[in-house]
Amino acid sequence: MTSTDPLAPPSLDHFADLEVDVGKPQVLSQGARGMRRLVPITGGQARGNGWTARVLPGGTDFQLIVSDTLSELDARYGLETDAGDLIYVQNHAVRAAPADVMAKLLRGEPVDPAQVYFRCNPRFETSSKALAWINDRMFVGVGVRHPAQVVMRFFALL
């Protein structure tokens, strides 16, 4: 395939690295689809190409623990760039690991990130003129869960 092929696989362009601070999870229910948890987002930082931002406190990671090996995540939070621009983030993710590793994650214990499949699809909204292009693009990412923080790297699909 050549670069002029409209069906060529997309390439990745680094967009940002995020360190998202999180609080203690709250279990809402244990139902037929799994355990539902809310994880508060308390702060953090983001660094992109030519911009930096803080993660605004008040966001939430809505989690569905589907099985002892699979979690579906839906995090929603805001960023404020050093220039004062606001960005809304909605990040859908899948986290899968062997049952013993997932149990440690759910208890808030450190685990070897190499044992966890953590992939995500963030979406962004902003009224910033400098970052307006992010409204019209698709992104993918990878992540690592630490006991009190989630570290992610996001890429724009080209």
Side-chain angles (χ1 to χ4, degrees), residues 30-42:
Q30 177 70 49
R33 294 196 59 224
M35 179 194 325
R36 292 205 178 266
R37 302 185 337 159
L38 300 180
V39 180
I41 294 172
T42 61

Side-chain angles (χ1 to χ4, degrees), residues 9-127:
S11 57
L12 302 177
D13 186 37
H14 178 260
F15 174 62
D17 290 336
L18 280 76
E19 297 171 354
V20 178
D21 301 330
V22 295
K24 183 180 177 188
Q26 178 183 13
V27 175
L28 291 182
S29 67
Q30 177 70 49
R33 294 196 59 224
M35 179 194 325
R36 292 205 178 266
R37 302 185 337 159
L38 300 180
V39 180
I41 294 172
T42 61
Q45 59 186 355
R47 286 179 300 284
N49 187 11
W51 62 276
T52 58
R54 69 183 183 106
V55 177
L56 299 173
T60 302
D61 184 2
F62 300 88
Q63 299 185 345
L64 177 62
I65 313 306
V66 177
S67 70
D68 61 353
T69 62
L70 177 65
S71 299
E72 296 175 358
L73 315 175
D74 179 13
R76 300 169 188 224
Y77 52 95
L79 302 175
E80 182 178 20
T81 70
D82 288 347
D85 297 317
L86 297 174
I87 302 169
Y88 172 73
V89 181
Q90 182 172 4
N91 189 21
H92 293 284
V94 171
R95 195 168 56 206
D100 61 323
V101 175
M102 189 64 79
K104 287 180 181 180
L105 275 174
L106 294 177
R107 290 192 302 265
E109 298 173 15
V111 300
D112 177 0
Q115 295 184 320
V116 181
Y117 177 88
F118 187 158
R119 301 293 184 266
C120 56
N121 174 227
R123 299 260 338 189
F124 303 99
E125 295 176 24
T126 186
S127 58

Side-chain angles (χ1 to χ4, degrees), residues 127-142:
S127 58
S128 164
K129 293 195 185 305
L131 294 171
W133 67 272
I134 68 176
N135 294 313
D136 304 326
R137 296 293 183 269
M138 290 189 73
F139 296 83
V140 294
V142 295

